mmCIF file of all heavy atoms in Angstrom:
data_model
loop_
_atom_site.group_PDB
_atom_site.id
_atom_site.type_symbol
_atom_site.label_atom_id
_atom_site.label_comp_id
_atom_site.label_asym_id
_atom_site.label_seq_id
_atom_site.Cartn_x
_atom_site.Cartn_y
_atom_site.Cartn_z
ATOM 1 N N ALA A 1 0.819 -1.220 0.000
ATOM 2 C CA ALA A 1 0.000 0.000 0.000
ATOM 3 C C ALA A 1 0.847 1.263 0.000
ATOM 4 O O ALA A 1 0.458 2.279 -0.580
ATOM 5 C CB ALA A 1 -0.936 -0.008 1.208
ATOM 6 N N GLU A 2 2.005 1.222 0.642
ATOM 7 C CA GLU A 2 2.884 2.403 0.681
ATOM 8 C C GLU A 2 3.744 2.540 -0.552
ATOM 9 O O GLU A 2 4.395 3.567 -0.752
ATOM 10 C CB GLU A 2 3.785 2.339 1.921
ATOM 11 C CG GLU A 2 3.070 2.473 3.256
ATOM 12 C CD GLU A 2 2.386 1.176 3.660
ATOM 13 O OE1 GLU A 2 2.807 0.100 3.154
ATOM 14 O OE2 GLU A 2 1.431 1.232 4.460
ATOM 15 N N GLY A 3 3.768 1.506 -1.405
ATOM 16 C CA GLY A 3 4.586 1.546 -2.606
ATOM 17 C C GLY A 3 6.061 1.375 -2.337
ATOM 18 O O GLY A 3 6.896 1.698 -3.176
ATOM 19 N N ARG A 4 6.400 0.836 -1.157
ATOM 20 C CA ARG A 4 7.811 0.739 -0.767
ATOM 21 C C ARG A 4 8.437 -0.606 -1.106
ATOM 22 O O ARG A 4 9.646 -0.698 -1.304
ATOM 23 C CB ARG A 4 7.943 0.984 0.738
ATOM 24 C CG ARG A 4 7.541 2.380 1.158
ATOM 25 C CD ARG A 4 7.650 2.557 2.663
ATOM 26 N NE ARG A 4 7.289 3.909 3.053
ATOM 27 C CZ ARG A 4 7.233 4.331 4.309
ATOM 28 N NH1 ARG A 4 7.531 3.502 5.302
ATOM 29 N NH2 ARG A 4 6.883 5.579 4.579
ATOM 30 N N ASN A 5 7.632 -1.662 -1.131
ATOM 31 C CA ASN A 5 8.153 -3.000 -1.377
ATOM 32 C C ASN A 5 7.121 -3.814 -2.149
ATOM 33 O O ASN A 5 5.943 -3.438 -2.234
ATOM 34 C CB ASN A 5 8.471 -3.715 -0.054
ATOM 35 C CG ASN A 5 9.645 -3.098 0.673
ATOM 36 O OD1 ASN A 5 10.780 -3.198 0.221
ATOM 37 N ND2 ASN A 5 9.373 -2.451 1.807
ATOM 38 N N ILE A 6 7.578 -4.938 -2.669
ATOM 39 C CA ILE A 6 6.647 -5.852 -3.314
ATOM 40 C C ILE A 6 5.790 -6.508 -2.240
ATOM 41 O O ILE A 6 6.280 -6.902 -1.176
ATOM 42 C CB ILE A 6 7.410 -6.905 -4.139
ATOM 43 C CG1 ILE A 6 8.062 -6.214 -5.349
ATOM 44 C CG2 ILE A 6 6.484 -8.023 -4.595
ATOM 45 C CD1 ILE A 6 8.860 -7.138 -6.230
ATOM 46 N N ASP A 7 4.517 -6.590 -2.491
ATOM 47 C CA ASP A 7 3.556 -7.130 -1.535
ATOM 48 C C ASP A 7 3.591 -8.652 -1.579
ATOM 49 O O ASP A 7 3.255 -9.267 -2.588
ATOM 50 C CB ASP A 7 2.157 -6.617 -1.867
ATOM 51 C CG ASP A 7 1.153 -6.947 -0.778
ATOM 52 O OD1 ASP A 7 1.589 -7.293 0.333
ATOM 53 O OD2 ASP A 7 -0.061 -6.844 -1.029
ATOM 54 N N GLY A 8 4.001 -9.271 -0.461
ATOM 55 C CA GLY A 8 4.033 -10.724 -0.389
ATOM 56 C C GLY A 8 5.198 -11.330 -1.158
ATOM 57 O O GLY A 8 6.170 -10.662 -1.501
ATOM 58 N N ASP A 9 5.076 -12.642 -1.434
ATOM 59 C CA ASP A 9 6.131 -13.350 -2.164
ATOM 60 C C ASP A 9 6.013 -13.067 -3.658
ATOM 61 O O ASP A 9 4.911 -13.010 -4.211
ATOM 62 C CB ASP A 9 6.025 -14.860 -1.916
ATOM 63 C CG ASP A 9 6.305 -15.217 -0.460
ATOM 64 O OD1 ASP A 9 7.109 -14.485 0.163
ATOM 65 O OD2 ASP A 9 5.728 -16.203 0.025
ATOM 66 N N CYS A 10 7.146 -12.913 -4.290
ATOM 67 C CA CYS A 10 7.160 -12.686 -5.740
ATOM 68 C C CYS A 10 8.412 -13.347 -6.293
ATOM 69 O O CYS A 10 9.485 -12.721 -6.383
ATOM 70 C CB CYS A 10 7.135 -11.194 -6.063
ATOM 71 S SG CYS A 10 7.194 -10.831 -7.841
ATOM 72 N N ALA A 11 8.295 -14.618 -6.630
ATOM 73 C CA ALA A 11 9.434 -15.366 -7.157
ATOM 74 C C ALA A 11 9.947 -14.740 -8.444
ATOM 75 O O ALA A 11 11.142 -14.839 -8.762
ATOM 76 C CB ALA A 11 9.019 -16.821 -7.399
ATOM 77 N N ALA A 12 9.057 -14.073 -9.168
ATOM 78 C CA ALA A 12 9.462 -13.460 -10.435
ATOM 79 C C ALA A 12 10.489 -12.355 -10.213
ATOM 80 O O ALA A 12 11.362 -12.122 -11.062
ATOM 81 C CB ALA A 12 8.232 -12.908 -11.160
ATOM 82 N N TYR A 13 10.392 -11.658 -9.080
ATOM 83 C CA TYR A 13 11.392 -10.616 -8.801
ATOM 84 C C TYR A 13 12.764 -11.234 -8.590
ATOM 85 O O TYR A 13 13.781 -10.702 -9.060
ATOM 86 C CB TYR A 13 10.988 -9.804 -7.572
ATOM 87 C CG TYR A 13 12.046 -8.798 -7.169
ATOM 88 C CD1 TYR A 13 12.199 -7.611 -7.878
ATOM 89 C CD2 TYR A 13 12.912 -9.057 -6.103
ATOM 90 C CE1 TYR A 13 13.190 -6.692 -7.529
ATOM 91 C CE2 TYR A 13 13.896 -8.148 -5.744
ATOM 92 C CZ TYR A 13 14.032 -6.969 -6.463
ATOM 93 O OH TYR A 13 15.015 -6.081 -6.122
ATOM 94 N N ASP A 14 12.795 -12.369 -7.894
ATOM 95 C CA ASP A 14 14.059 -13.063 -7.680
ATOM 96 C C ASP A 14 14.663 -13.503 -9.013
ATOM 97 O O ASP A 14 15.880 -13.402 -9.223
ATOM 98 C CB ASP A 14 13.862 -14.272 -6.773
ATOM 99 C CG ASP A 14 13.391 -13.876 -5.376
ATOM 100 O OD1 ASP A 14 13.712 -12.743 -4.954
ATOM 101 O OD2 ASP A 14 12.691 -14.679 -4.726
ATOM 102 N N ALA A 15 13.799 -13.977 -9.896
ATOM 103 C CA ALA A 15 14.281 -14.399 -11.207
ATOM 104 C C ALA A 15 14.791 -13.205 -12.014
ATOM 105 O O ALA A 15 15.807 -13.290 -12.715
ATOM 106 C CB ALA A 15 13.148 -15.109 -11.962
ATOM 107 N N PHE A 16 14.088 -12.106 -11.895
ATOM 108 C CA PHE A 16 14.480 -10.876 -12.581
ATOM 109 C C PHE A 16 15.851 -10.399 -12.082
ATOM 110 O O PHE A 16 16.741 -10.069 -12.861
ATOM 111 C CB PHE A 16 13.402 -9.817 -12.324
ATOM 112 C CG PHE A 16 13.659 -8.478 -12.959
ATOM 113 C CD1 PHE A 16 13.446 -8.286 -14.317
ATOM 114 C CD2 PHE A 16 14.097 -7.404 -12.200
ATOM 115 C CE1 PHE A 16 13.662 -7.050 -14.906
ATOM 116 C CE2 PHE A 16 14.314 -6.159 -12.766
ATOM 117 C CZ PHE A 16 14.103 -5.990 -14.129
ATOM 118 N N SER A 17 16.028 -10.408 -10.775
ATOM 119 C CA SER A 17 17.297 -9.989 -10.192
ATOM 120 C C SER A 17 18.421 -10.944 -10.555
ATOM 121 O O SER A 17 19.573 -10.532 -10.756
ATOM 122 C CB SER A 17 17.181 -9.915 -8.662
ATOM 123 O OG SER A 17 16.199 -8.997 -8.265
ATOM 124 N N LYS A 18 18.095 -12.225 -10.663
ATOM 125 C CA LYS A 18 19.115 -13.235 -10.952
ATOM 126 C C LYS A 18 19.704 -13.040 -12.338
ATOM 127 O O LYS A 18 20.896 -13.295 -12.564
ATOM 128 C CB LYS A 18 18.508 -14.630 -10.828
ATOM 129 C CG LYS A 18 19.529 -15.764 -10.823
ATOM 130 C CD LYS A 18 18.862 -17.091 -10.511
ATOM 131 C CE LYS A 18 19.907 -18.191 -10.320
ATOM 132 N NZ LYS A 18 20.751 -18.402 -11.496
ATOM 133 N N VAL A 19 18.896 -12.565 -13.268
ATOM 134 C CA VAL A 19 19.410 -12.297 -14.610
ATOM 135 C C VAL A 19 20.535 -11.267 -14.539
ATOM 136 O O VAL A 19 21.561 -11.389 -15.219
ATOM 137 C CB VAL A 19 18.294 -11.799 -15.542
ATOM 138 C CG1 VAL A 19 18.859 -11.349 -16.888
ATOM 139 C CG2 VAL A 19 17.244 -12.884 -15.751
ATOM 140 N N VAL A 20 20.340 -10.279 -13.707
ATOM 141 C CA VAL A 20 21.362 -9.238 -13.543
ATOM 142 C C VAL A 20 22.575 -9.796 -12.812
ATOM 143 O O VAL A 20 23.726 -9.590 -13.218
ATOM 144 C CB VAL A 20 20.788 -8.031 -12.789
ATOM 145 C CG1 VAL A 20 21.873 -6.973 -12.566
ATOM 146 C CG2 VAL A 20 19.623 -7.433 -13.560
ATOM 147 N N ASP A 21 22.325 -10.526 -11.729
ATOM 148 C CA ASP A 21 23.421 -11.060 -10.926
ATOM 149 C C ASP A 21 24.298 -12.029 -11.716
ATOM 150 O O ASP A 21 25.527 -12.078 -11.506
ATOM 151 C CB ASP A 21 22.883 -11.765 -9.681
ATOM 152 C CG ASP A 21 22.189 -10.819 -8.720
ATOM 153 O OD1 ASP A 21 22.462 -9.603 -8.793
ATOM 154 O OD2 ASP A 21 21.356 -11.290 -7.919
ATOM 155 N N ASP A 22 23.679 -12.786 -12.598
ATOM 156 C CA ASP A 22 24.413 -13.818 -13.344
ATOM 157 C C ASP A 22 24.980 -13.318 -14.662
ATOM 158 O O ASP A 22 25.613 -14.087 -15.399
ATOM 159 C CB ASP A 22 23.495 -15.022 -13.625
ATOM 160 C CG ASP A 22 23.074 -15.737 -12.345
ATOM 161 O OD1 ASP A 22 23.697 -15.468 -11.296
ATOM 162 O OD2 ASP A 22 22.118 -16.533 -12.403
ATOM 163 N N SER A 23 24.779 -12.061 -14.986
ATOM 164 C CA SER A 23 25.195 -11.539 -16.287
ATOM 165 C C SER A 23 26.707 -11.395 -16.381
ATOM 166 O O SER A 23 27.406 -11.247 -15.369
ATOM 167 C CB SER A 23 24.533 -10.190 -16.549
ATOM 168 O OG SER A 23 24.962 -9.255 -15.583
ATOM 169 N N GLU A 24 27.200 -11.457 -17.593
ATOM 170 C CA GLU A 24 28.623 -11.267 -17.859
ATOM 171 C C GLU A 24 28.966 -9.781 -17.815
ATOM 172 O O GLU A 24 28.106 -8.917 -18.019
ATOM 173 C CB GLU A 24 28.983 -11.853 -19.221
ATOM 174 C CG GLU A 24 28.679 -13.335 -19.368
ATOM 175 C CD GLU A 24 29.551 -14.198 -18.460
ATOM 176 O OE1 GLU A 24 30.672 -13.751 -18.117
ATOM 177 O OE2 GLU A 24 29.113 -15.302 -18.097
ATOM 178 N N ASP A 25 30.235 -9.503 -17.587
ATOM 179 C CA ASP A 25 30.669 -8.116 -17.511
ATOM 180 C C ASP A 25 30.370 -7.344 -18.781
ATOM 181 O O ASP A 25 29.997 -6.162 -18.742
ATOM 182 C CB ASP A 25 32.172 -8.051 -17.213
ATOM 183 C CG ASP A 25 32.501 -8.499 -15.794
ATOM 184 O OD1 ASP A 25 31.576 -8.555 -14.976
ATOM 185 O OD2 ASP A 25 33.687 -8.792 -15.536
ATOM 186 N N GLU A 26 30.528 -8.010 -19.919
ATOM 187 C CA GLU A 26 30.316 -7.308 -21.194
ATOM 188 C C GLU A 26 28.853 -6.954 -21.422
ATOM 189 O O GLU A 26 28.518 -6.146 -22.307
ATOM 190 C CB GLU A 26 30.839 -8.139 -22.372
ATOM 191 C CG GLU A 26 30.205 -9.514 -22.509
ATOM 192 C CD GLU A 26 31.043 -10.595 -21.816
ATOM 193 O OE1 GLU A 26 31.783 -10.253 -20.859
ATOM 194 O OE2 GLU A 26 30.939 -11.761 -22.232
ATOM 195 N N ASP A 27 27.948 -7.541 -20.628
ATOM 196 C CA ASP A 27 26.521 -7.249 -20.782
ATOM 197 C C ASP A 27 26.037 -6.151 -19.825
ATOM 198 O O ASP A 27 24.866 -5.763 -19.866
ATOM 199 C CB ASP A 27 25.689 -8.514 -20.534
ATOM 200 C CG ASP A 27 25.922 -9.587 -21.584
ATOM 201 O OD1 ASP A 27 26.226 -9.211 -22.742
ATOM 202 O OD2 ASP A 27 25.820 -10.783 -21.250
ATOM 203 N N GLN A 28 26.918 -5.666 -18.963
ATOM 204 C CA GLN A 28 26.493 -4.739 -17.920
ATOM 205 C C GLN A 28 25.882 -3.449 -18.469
ATOM 206 O O GLN A 28 24.866 -2.971 -17.976
ATOM 207 C CB GLN A 28 27.676 -4.395 -17.018
ATOM 208 C CG GLN A 28 28.144 -5.547 -16.140
ATOM 209 C CD GLN A 28 27.124 -5.932 -15.080
ATOM 210 O OE1 GLN A 28 26.793 -5.128 -14.211
ATOM 211 N NE2 GLN A 28 26.620 -7.148 -15.155
ATOM 212 N N GLU A 29 26.487 -2.888 -19.497
ATOM 213 C CA GLU A 29 25.950 -1.641 -20.044
ATOM 214 C C GLU A 29 24.586 -1.866 -20.673
ATOM 215 O O GLU A 29 23.669 -1.051 -20.500
ATOM 216 C CB GLU A 29 26.921 -1.039 -21.059
ATOM 217 C CG GLU A 29 26.434 0.300 -21.592
ATOM 218 C CD GLU A 29 27.446 0.978 -22.522
ATOM 219 O OE1 GLU A 29 28.577 0.466 -22.638
ATOM 220 O OE2 GLU A 29 27.085 2.004 -23.130
ATOM 221 N N ALA A 30 24.419 -2.971 -21.407
ATOM 222 C CA ALA A 30 23.131 -3.273 -22.023
ATOM 223 C C ALA A 30 22.060 -3.504 -20.966
ATOM 224 O O ALA A 30 20.905 -3.077 -21.114
ATOM 225 C CB ALA A 30 23.255 -4.497 -22.936
ATOM 226 N N ILE A 31 22.443 -4.163 -19.879
ATOM 227 C CA ILE A 31 21.490 -4.402 -18.795
ATOM 228 C C ILE A 31 21.111 -3.086 -18.125
ATOM 229 O O ILE A 31 19.933 -2.830 -17.846
ATOM 230 C CB ILE A 31 22.085 -5.394 -17.778
ATOM 231 C CG1 ILE A 31 22.105 -6.803 -18.382
ATOM 232 C CG2 ILE A 31 21.292 -5.385 -16.473
ATOM 233 C CD1 ILE A 31 22.766 -7.839 -17.511
ATOM 234 N N ALA A 32 22.114 -2.244 -17.871
ATOM 235 C CA ALA A 32 21.820 -0.939 -17.263
ATOM 236 C C ALA A 32 20.908 -0.119 -18.169
ATOM 237 O O ALA A 32 19.957 0.520 -17.698
ATOM 238 C CB ALA A 32 23.123 -0.186 -16.997
ATOM 239 N N ARG A 33 21.175 -0.137 -19.453
ATOM 240 C CA ARG A 33 20.335 0.603 -20.404
ATOM 241 C C ARG A 33 18.905 0.067 -20.395
ATOM 242 O O ARG A 33 17.930 0.828 -20.431
ATOM 243 C CB ARG A 33 20.937 0.503 -21.810
ATOM 244 C CG ARG A 33 20.159 1.287 -22.862
ATOM 245 C CD ARG A 33 20.857 1.270 -24.206
ATOM 246 N NE ARG A 33 21.031 -0.091 -24.715
ATOM 247 C CZ ARG A 33 22.204 -0.709 -24.852
ATOM 248 N NH1 ARG A 33 23.327 -0.099 -24.471
ATOM 249 N NH2 ARG A 33 22.266 -1.930 -25.329
ATOM 250 N N THR A 34 18.771 -1.251 -20.291
ATOM 251 C CA THR A 34 17.440 -1.859 -20.261
ATOM 252 C C THR A 34 16.689 -1.466 -18.994
ATOM 253 O O THR A 34 15.500 -1.120 -19.031
ATOM 254 C CB THR A 34 17.557 -3.390 -20.345
ATOM 255 O OG1 THR A 34 18.260 -3.742 -21.542
ATOM 256 C CG2 THR A 34 16.180 -4.044 -20.357
ATOM 257 N N LEU A 35 17.382 -1.504 -17.870
ATOM 258 C CA LEU A 35 16.749 -1.123 -16.607
ATOM 259 C C LEU A 35 16.308 0.332 -16.626
ATOM 260 O O LEU A 35 15.223 0.672 -16.129
ATOM 261 C CB LEU A 35 17.712 -1.381 -15.450
ATOM 262 C CG LEU A 35 18.000 -2.857 -15.125
ATOM 263 C CD1 LEU A 35 19.141 -2.967 -14.123
ATOM 264 C CD2 LEU A 35 16.747 -3.547 -14.586
ATOM 265 N N VAL A 36 17.132 1.201 -17.210
ATOM 266 C CA VAL A 36 16.742 2.614 -17.320
ATOM 267 C C VAL A 36 15.533 2.752 -18.232
ATOM 268 O O VAL A 36 14.609 3.532 -17.951
ATOM 269 C CB VAL A 36 17.927 3.460 -17.827
ATOM 270 C CG1 VAL A 36 17.469 4.872 -18.157
ATOM 271 C CG2 VAL A 36 19.034 3.500 -16.783
ATOM 272 N N ASN A 37 15.500 1.988 -19.319
ATOM 273 C CA ASN A 37 14.325 2.022 -20.191
ATOM 274 C C ASN A 37 13.073 1.565 -19.450
ATOM 275 O O ASN A 37 11.970 2.095 -19.670
ATOM 276 C CB ASN A 37 14.555 1.122 -21.413
ATOM 277 C CG ASN A 37 15.404 1.773 -22.483
ATOM 278 O OD1 ASN A 37 15.449 3.008 -22.575
ATOM 279 N ND2 ASN A 37 16.072 0.974 -23.296
ATOM 280 N N LEU A 38 13.229 0.595 -18.550
ATOM 281 C CA LEU A 38 12.081 0.077 -17.811
ATOM 282 C C LEU A 38 11.546 1.077 -16.793
ATOM 283 O O LEU A 38 10.440 0.898 -16.270
ATOM 284 C CB LEU A 38 12.454 -1.230 -17.112
ATOM 285 C CG LEU A 38 12.730 -2.426 -18.037
ATOM 286 C CD1 LEU A 38 13.161 -3.639 -17.235
ATOM 287 C CD2 LEU A 38 11.513 -2.749 -18.897
ATOM 288 N N LEU A 39 12.315 2.128 -16.506
ATOM 289 C CA LEU A 39 11.806 3.182 -15.616
ATOM 290 C C LEU A 39 10.634 3.925 -16.247
ATOM 291 O O LEU A 39 9.948 4.692 -15.565
ATOM 292 C CB LEU A 39 12.920 4.173 -15.281
ATOM 293 C CG LEU A 39 14.084 3.626 -14.448
ATOM 294 C CD1 LEU A 39 15.181 4.675 -14.318
ATOM 295 C CD2 LEU A 39 13.602 3.180 -13.072
ATOM 296 N N GLY A 40 10.403 3.695 -17.529
ATOM 297 C CA GLY A 40 9.266 4.301 -18.207
ATOM 298 C C GLY A 40 8.103 3.350 -18.395
ATOM 299 O O GLY A 40 7.125 3.682 -19.085
ATOM 300 N N ASP A 41 8.156 2.184 -17.791
ATOM 301 C CA ASP A 41 7.085 1.200 -17.934
ATOM 302 C C ASP A 41 5.825 1.668 -17.221
ATOM 303 O O ASP A 41 5.882 2.403 -16.221
ATOM 304 C CB ASP A 41 7.533 -0.148 -17.371
ATOM 305 C CG ASP A 41 6.646 -1.301 -17.827
ATOM 306 O OD1 ASP A 41 6.919 -1.856 -18.903
ATOM 307 O OD2 ASP A 41 5.691 -1.638 -17.097
ATOM 308 N N SER A 42 4.680 1.236 -17.712
ATOM 309 C CA SER A 42 3.405 1.649 -17.099
ATOM 310 C C SER A 42 3.139 0.944 -15.780
ATOM 311 O O SER A 42 2.322 1.404 -14.965
ATOM 312 C CB SER A 42 2.249 1.368 -18.064
ATOM 313 O OG SER A 42 2.192 -0.016 -18.390
ATOM 314 N N SER A 43 3.806 -0.164 -15.520
ATOM 315 C CA SER A 43 3.600 -0.927 -14.300
ATOM 316 C C SER A 43 4.512 -0.406 -13.195
ATOM 317 O O SER A 43 5.736 -0.356 -13.353
ATOM 318 C CB SER A 43 3.897 -2.419 -14.544
ATOM 319 O OG SER A 43 3.997 -3.127 -13.317
#
């Protein structure tokens, strides 16, 4: 309700984070660019 955290369990968030954690160094800029693009998502 406060918009501070995900409400309850969300395995999908863990999977989303794991993609970043497991990424290669050469993919870091592309991942950062993607995350910045997602700051404009409607969700």
Side-chain angles (χ1 to χ4, degrees):
E2 293 78 22
R4 296 178 179 177
N5 291 291
I6 291 179
D7 190 16
D9 294 329
C10 178
Y13 175 77
D14 297 332
F16 180 77
S17 300
K18 192 172 188 300
V19 173
V20 178
D21 295 339
D22 295 346
S23 63
E24 301 293 334
D25 290 344
E26 59 265 26
D27 294 330
Q28 290 293 297
E29 183 175 353
I31 287 176
R33 182 175 59 248
T34 302
L35 291 170
V36 171
N37 280 335
L38 292 177
L39 294 174
D41 196 87
S42 59
S43 167

